[in-house]
Amino acid sequence: MANLFPIITIKSSKPGPEGLIIAGVHGDEYEPILAVRQLINELKGKIGKGSLTLVPVVNKGAFLAGSRLGLDGLDLARTCPGKKVGSITEQVAHEISKLIRKADFLIDMHTGGNLFEISPLSGYMMHPNSEVLDTQRAMAEAFNLPIIWGTSPDLEGRTLSVARDENVPAIYTEYRGGGYYPDGIGDLVDGCKNVLAYFGMFPSVKGDSKVTLKIEDNQPGSGHLQEMYPAPEEGVFVVTVELGQEVRQNEVLGYLCDFYGEKKIEVHTLQAGRIFLIRAVPMAKKGDALAGILSAGNSNYYEKIG
Ligand SMILES: [Zn+2]
């Protein structure tokens, strides 16, 4: 069978960890795809030990369609571990899950895609195994994006769920979205190199820490972005807060209008905290996420550094 996605492995002559870096699980998330392409060029022949497998675009059909979803309408990040015989997204999920199970660590890079803008962050699941959890914390710290976010391990269907079940240390990253920002590619490339440095596979390129917020929240579903601030009904959404803004409880974060401009529903913050997710388009169906806030109130750990 032809490869379902482009893939390359860079091997060192010395034994060591087998790393896996992937992008394009969602087809409309472009900066990570370009970052992996750049890593392939810059790391060839330069891995100090072990091996590194890179997949620049896991969901090629979705990428070519400019869509989050595969050509069968499925979200790859809800379909893992997939099926050997199934629709295209199920097959891709099966293949990528096999690679994840064999890996010693995983980095899965995302953005907010067409619909969302997200503050740059490194995330991980609050793994029940403390050794895995500590490695994930160290990987997220090494990646050096402004927010480090640990969330409940209960979510299913993700690449990180497959890694969790196999005790493979794994992080994911988010980096803006709602457009295409080539200036972000360098941060992703450096982040991956610094995680490789943590595993002793490449020299560190880390400068000063960029981390401004560390948060761990073990509440069920805490990492599920698509369920945050669901639109009470369909309409035109106008956001009135900005990414990174600190808000109080019961502030207006935007409003939802009907198509005639007659009805206007204000959407209020339910807790104080930092805005880290906003809807990047005015289109909102009933239940669509409108915004997200990282809040000290419901967290196990919350440290504001900047
Ligand atoms: Zn994504």
Side-chain angles (χ1 to χ4, degrees):
M1 186 176 66
N3 279 339
L4 287 165
F5 39 74
I7 177 167
I8 186 165
T9 298
I10 304 171
K11 289 193 169 104
S12 160
S13 54
K14 291 187 196 150
E18 294 182 13
L20 176 61
I21 298 180
I22 67 176
V25 161
H26 294 127
D28 60 345
E29 302 178 3
Y30 302 112
E31 294 85 344
I33 294 168
L34 285 139
V36 173
R37 181 177 155 272
Q38 189 173 330
L39 284 166
I40 291 170
N41 285 316
E42 293 182 9
L43 297 177
K44 262 186 201 159
K46 292 191 180 144
I47 295 294
K49 65 176 181 181
S51 71
L52 181 65
T53 296
L54 300 119
V55 179
V57 52
V58 182
N59 201 340
K60 203 169 79 177
F63 171 72
L64 293 174
S67 167
R68 174 180 173 87
L69 307 176
L71 297 175
D72 51 7
L74 294 179
D75 183 338
L76 179 54
R78 305 291 178 272
T79 309
C80 290
K83 289 179 191 161
K84 192 173 166 56
V85 179
S87 70
I88 180 66
T89 303
E90 288 172 328
Q91 288 181 49
V92 170
H94 179 77
E95 282 301 304
I96 200 70
S97 297
K98 278 201 306 196
L99 287 179
I100 293 166
R101 291 190 193 102
K102 300 200 296 205
D104 293 316
F105 64 89
L106 167 70
I107 303 172
D108 180 2
M109 294 189 284
H110 290 253
T111 78
N114 293 330
L115 296 182
F116 297 101
E117 219 183 316
I118 308 179
S119 298
L121 65 88
S122 308
Y124 52 87
M125 287 183 172
M126 301 289 290
H127 203 285
N129 176 318
S130 64
E131 208 175 308
V132 176
L133 178 58
D134 284 344
T135 305
Q136 295 182 154
R137 285 174 172 144
M139 289 167 70
E141 185 93 38
F143 205 102
N144 204 19
L145 292 175
I147 297 171
I148 295 179
W149 191 31
T151 52
S152 165
D154 63 347
L155 296 178
E156 299 298 338
R158 330 266 169 137
T159 57
L160 261 64
S161 326
V162 175
R164 172 203 63 203
D165 293 347
E166 207 66 22
N167 287 338
V168 175
I171 60 168
Y172 72 99
T173 61
E174 297 285 0
Y175 202 105
R176 300 190 67 177
Y180 165 57
Y181 301 96
D183 55 336
I185 296 167
D187 286 347
L188 300 176
V189 168
D190 286 354
C192 288
K193 287 178 177 170
N194 287 325
V195 174
L196 295 177
Y198 169 75
F199 288 104
M201 298 167 69
F202 194 79
S204 172
V205 294
K206 195 171 175 187
D208 294 341
S209 174
K210 293 179 186 160
V211 178
T212 61
L213 180 65
K214 284 191 205 182
I215 172 165
E216 289 190 341
D217 175 359
N218 217 349
Q219 289 187 105
S222 54
H224 198 166
L225 303 179
Q226 283 74 21
E227 288 185 351
M228 294 179 172
Y229 285 89
E233 52 189 77
E234 70 176 26
V236 179
F237 179 62
V238 179
V239 66
T240 54
V241 290
E242 289 178 4
L243 274 192
Q245 189 177 327
E246 297 285 340
V247 292
R248 298 181 309 278
Q249 191 176 4
N250 209 27
E251 252 183 76
V252 176
L253 60 79
Y255 52 89
L256 199 63
C257 311
D258 70 8
F259 296 108
Y260 304 102
E262 286 173 0
K263 194 171 158 191
K264 187 167 156 184
I265 304 170
E266 285 187 342
V267 182
H268 293 92
T269 58
L270 299 174
Q271 69 275 85
R274 188 180 299 188
I275 302 284
F276 81 106
L277 168 83
I278 50 178
R279 197 160 182 83
V281 294
M283 176 280 288
K285 299 187 297 302
K286 187 176 184 210
D288 280 350
L290 301 179
I293 299 174
L294 295 174
S295 174
N298 43 15
S299 305
N300 307 76
Y301 180 84
Y302 193 89
E303 185 192 0
K304 234 197 267 186
I305 298 147

